[in-house]
Amino acid sequence: QDQLGYFDVGVGVDPTTHLPFDHVTPFAPEPAFFTQLTAIGFYLQILGEVSRGRLQNGMSREQALREIETVLAALANLQSDPSKSHNGLLYNFYDLRPAIQPQAGSVIAFGDNANLSQSVAILIGILESLKSLAGLSALSAPELALVNDLINGGEGFLGGQRAGYTQFYDSAVGRFHRVFDPRQGASGAFSGHMDRLGNEFRS
């Protein structure tokens, strides 16, 4: 509960883009003005749990749903821009100033995208559960319409990743590539494969 304070807008979440900062250094004058996919996914899951009352961060349900809407819109905008994504998959790091754009040296990483995909899928499940609430906690008609829009937005984002994940699969090896760098050569370049025995994305 104490750690949720990081995900307050203006603390660990950028008040301009509404995406979480990669980190904040205590006593530094400013946060690190960049973000990464896993943190964005965590924020979406937190907002989902706030919207169904299982976490408290000071937001009402409507505020949490509107914040989800803002974050999903940012992801959709990145995914639809070929200069900021590749085949529906996103770069692992994005600068937040002066605008959201891939950070220099960032790549399309399978694990980071998979973390985000998992979080969006969990969010969709949370939103689906909201539709079954009864009694005083039941959704109003405007809230229900917003929840349905958010579910469609999340599913649209996941569907938009299909081409990227298909490209990442190496049938000759039977595993997914680890990293794709679109900036290397005319068609980009893959490097490494996901290790099923030991790396940070094992789970």
Side-chain angles (χ1 to χ4, degrees):
Q1 184 65 43
D2 289 343
Q3 290 187 338
L4 281 179
Y6 181 88
F7 288 92
D8 286 344
V9 176
V11 180
V13 176
D14 181 18
T16 302
T17 65
H18 290 259
L19 299 178
F21 299 121
D22 179 83
H23 65 275
V24 173
T25 302
F27 312 115
E30 293 183 321
F33 286 116
F34 68 95
T35 191
Q36 44 106 339
L37 302 189
T38 302
I40 297 171
F42 284 163
Y43 187 42
L44 284 173
Q45 288 183 237
I46 288 168
L47 291 170
E49 295 293 2
V50 170
S51 72
R52 68 173 168 183
R54 294 191 177 180
L55 291 177
Q56 304 297 325
N57 71 344
M59 287 184 179
S60 67
R61 181 164 66 196
E62 182 180 357
Q63 288 172 324
L65 293 174
R66 290 299 178 187
E67 186 74 358
I68 293 169
E69 182 180 41
T70 299
V71 175
L72 287 179
L75 292 177
N77 287 336
L78 291 173
Q79 189 180 57
S80 65
D81 188 337
S83 71
K84 298 179 180 180
S85 62
H86 182 77
N87 280 349
L89 299 183
L90 305 184
Y91 285 86
N92 51 353
F93 293 103
Y94 286 88
D95 287 325
L96 300 175
R97 298 289 188 278
I100 306 174
Q101 56 192 355
Q103 193 176 67
S106 59
V107 294
I108 309 293
F110 178 89
D112 297 82
N113 276 279
N115 279 352
L116 178 58
S117 299
Q118 175 179 262
S119 291
V120 172
I122 290 170
L123 172 67
I124 291 169
I126 292 171
L127 295 172
E128 288 285 2
S129 75
L130 283 178
K131 295 162 65 173
S132 63
L133 294 174
L136 294 177
S137 61
L139 296 176
S140 65
E143 286 176 332
L144 178 59
L146 176 55
V147 165
N148 283 327
D149 286 344
L150 296 177
I151 291 170
N152 291 334
E155 290 180 342
F157 177 78
L158 293 179
Q161 294 180 311
R162 180 182 297 273
Y165 282 131
T166 300
Q167 183 188 25
F168 256 82
Y169 184 68
D170 186 347
S171 58
V173 178
R175 284 193 283 163
F176 287 98
H177 288 288
R178 187 176 60 85
V179 166
F180 180 76
D181 187 348
R183 298 160 175 168
Q184 288 190 26
S187 59
F190 284 105
S191 63
H193 291 87
M194 295 300 290
D195 184 348
R196 287 186 270 185
L197 297 180
N199 70 27
E200 65 175 300
F201 301 111
R202 177 179 177 184
S203 61

